[in-house]
Amino acid sequence: MHFISEDLENYVANHSQQEPELLVQLNKETHQKILQPRMLSGHFQGRVLSMLSKIIHPKSILEIGTYTGYATLCLAEGLQENGTLDTIDINEELEEIQKKYFDLSNYSNKIVQHIGDAIEIIPTLNKKFDLVFIDADKENYINYFHLIVPLMNKGGIILSDNVLWSGKVLEKVKANDKSTQILLDYNKIINEDSRVETVLLPIRDGLTVTRVL
């Protein structure tokens, strides 16, 4: 679903910073070889993630849902010199392409890959985070949020992707559509939780910026 016209989307992308050549290659290989390439953040959203990370200038980043690593590399652009980025994905079949592009980047020594269930992995990381990006299974968004908030440094930012869910958040929820219902609940929770403040941006498929108080 396009929330603005494709022509306007193209204008926005063309008048935003261009993506680095390595990300152009990753984008191309993802579309050629990997299922569901729509899951890739892509040029415009990737530049948004990069800009937010550069503004926050985090020492520690957590990404839940690596996919092929495009967003990972965008977020890594804002890391402090001695910063680290932990990224978690449950699909071990994507580990090879992730590592390939991480190794080709300038951030290979800052990125730590984790394969498995994020709910189990996050408590083992033993660190506080300045920036978190949630872009994984929608059914666990609420669980991720409640797990992450206590691990955030004060003023830390949680970014949540796909919160408009192709416009389904405005439609009557079908009985078997668990993902949409959970996203509706999630959007309500992060807007009303007294521990945070949230703004929902209509970027691509919806991106919330949540600041921990």
Side-chain angles (χ1 to χ4, degrees):
M1 178 178 182
H2 290 273
F3 298 110
I4 61 175
S5 70
E6 288 190 58
D7 287 342
L8 192 52
E9 282 186 348
N10 291 333
Y11 182 88
V12 168
N14 290 335
H15 289 79
S16 299
Q17 182 191 45
Q18 293 305 299
E19 58 190 336
E21 180 58 31
L22 182 64
L23 294 182
V24 173
Q25 295 172 21
L26 174 53
N27 192 333
K28 182 178 180 180
E29 185 168 350
T30 299
H31 279 80
Q32 289 175 337
K33 299 180 180 179
I34 308 298
L35 293 174
Q36 297 180 300
R38 184 178 179 274
M39 292 173 61
L40 192 85
S41 289
H43 168 207
F44 176 62
Q45 183 171 331
R47 291 304 87 201
V48 171
L49 295 176
S50 170
M51 183 67 76
L52 290 172
S53 184
K54 288 171 182 174
I55 291 169
I56 298 163
H57 198 40
K59 183 175 182 179
S60 56
I61 300 175
L62 172 64
E63 179 185 39
I64 306 174
T66 316
Y67 191 50
T68 57
Y70 188 102
T72 319
L73 292 172
C74 294
L75 293 166
E77 293 177 26
L79 275 171
Q80 295 181 22
E81 185 175 349
N82 61 341
T84 58
L85 190 162
D86 290 274
T87 184
I88 305 170
D89 202 282
I90 200 166
N91 188 352
E92 62 183 19
E93 294 180 359
L94 296 175
E95 185 176 11
E96 184 176 345
I97 188 172
Q98 295 165 9
K99 189 174 188 307
K100 172 184 174 180
Y101 283 91
F102 295 162
D103 287 346
L104 289 171
S105 76
N106 296 324
Y107 315 106
S108 58
N109 63 331
K110 298 182 178 184
I111 298 173
V112 182
Q113 290 173 266
H114 304 271
I115 304 297
D117 187 339
I119 297 293
E120 297 176 359
I121 292 172
I122 292 170
T124 72
L125 299 178
N126 297 318
K127 64 174 69 174
K128 291 276 192 174
F129 297 100
D130 302 306
L131 175 60
V132 173
F133 182 44
I134 305 174
D135 186 17
D137 55 313
K138 311 315 164 194
E139 289 81 359
N140 270 312
Y141 264 39
I142 295 171
N143 295 329
Y144 294 143
F145 175 74
H146 288 305
L147 185 61
I148 288 165
V149 170
L151 303 179
M152 299 294 295
N153 287 317
K154 185 176 180 180
I157 299 295
I158 301 170
L159 304 174
S160 309
D161 199 15
N162 304 119
V163 291
L164 293 180
W165 208 224
S166 298
K168 291 181 182 179
V169 292
L170 295 179
E171 302 171 359
K172 183 177 180 180
V173 182
K174 297 178 181 178
N176 63 345
D177 188 354
K178 186 177 180 180
S179 295
T180 299
Q181 185 58 58
I182 288 179
L183 282 173
L184 286 168
D185 295 340
Y186 179 74
N187 290 340
K188 186 173 188 293
I189 286 169
I190 62 173
N191 191 45
E192 297 178 354
D193 193 305
S194 62
R195 298 172 295 175
V196 301
E197 56 185 1
T198 293
V199 61
L200 196 164
L201 305 176
I203 292 172
R204 201 164 175 250
D205 196 24
L207 179 73
T208 51
V209 180
T210 302
R211 178 175 175 268
V212 178
L213 302 176

